[in-house]
Amino acid sequence: MDLSATKDCHCFAARRRAREITRLYEERLRPHGLRATQFSVLAALALKDPIPLRELADVLGLERTTLTRSVNRLGDEGWVADTESEDARERRLRLTPAGREKVESAYPAWKEAQDEVDRQVEPLETE
């Protein structure tokens, strides 16, 4: 069996590019004390506050257990808090004022990374 075609694996190439992009965002957000994933959670909460944890997980494309760990860390920093829910089985989250301040102060760094990636990505062809 000739496996030489695997050297051009699209899956591997996409994952490699995703790591490169993530490193860029991490580099820009590091001075603000945030990881790229943390910024994404805070930004999503800023847009959809308050929101059930399961819905936030869907928005971010994360497993609930993974998101729970991230949210707990953000809660320890005072940036995210639980809020009352009509359903006791549902965990609803909200951005705290400190969390809003954190995401807004980090936004220019995120925007720099976003703009840099935009410049690197080939524009999509439209029909």
Side-chain angles (χ1 to χ4, degrees):
M1 175 184 295
D2 180 10
L3 296 174
S4 62
T6 62
K7 69 180 185 208
D8 296 321
C9 177
H10 294 295
C11 182
F12 177 75
R15 292 174 59 88
R16 180 178 50 222
R17 182 64 177 138
R19 287 189 297 272
E20 291 170 1
I21 290 170
T22 299
R23 278 193 295 273
L24 174 65
Y25 281 88
E26 297 274 342
E27 181 182 296
R28 296 296 192 282
L29 292 168
R30 189 174 298 119
H32 297 275
L34 287 174
R35 309 239 8 199
T37 51
Q38 293 172 321
F39 180 87
S40 295
V41 171
L42 294 176
L45 277 172
L47 295 172
K48 292 185 160 282
D49 187 2
I51 187 172
L53 178 81
R54 65 174 166 65
E55 189 178 324
L56 182 60
D58 289 343
V59 166
L60 295 170
L62 297 172
E63 295 292 325
R64 279 185 257 172
T65 54
T66 301
L67 180 57
T68 296
R69 285 190 299 274
S70 295
V71 164
N72 289 342
R73 283 189 213 113
L74 295 171
D76 291 345
E77 295 291 338
W79 300 331
V80 173
D82 290 347
T83 189
E84 288 187 31
S85 174
E86 294 175 11
D87 183 347
R89 299 169 296 173
E90 176 181 81
R91 183 176 181 191
R92 289 181 67 79
L93 304 169
R94 68 176 175 80
L95 196 61
T96 65
R100 179 162 292 280
E101 185 177 314
K102 178 57 87 172
V103 73
E104 288 178 358
S105 71
Y107 176 80
W110 173 88
K111 183 74 167 103
E112 283 179 20
Q114 183 79 358
D115 291 346
E116 188 167 332
V117 172
D118 283 345
R119 286 189 296 274
Q120 295 173 9
V121 175
E122 293 180 27
L124 297 175
E125 292 183 28
T126 56
E127 292 181 39

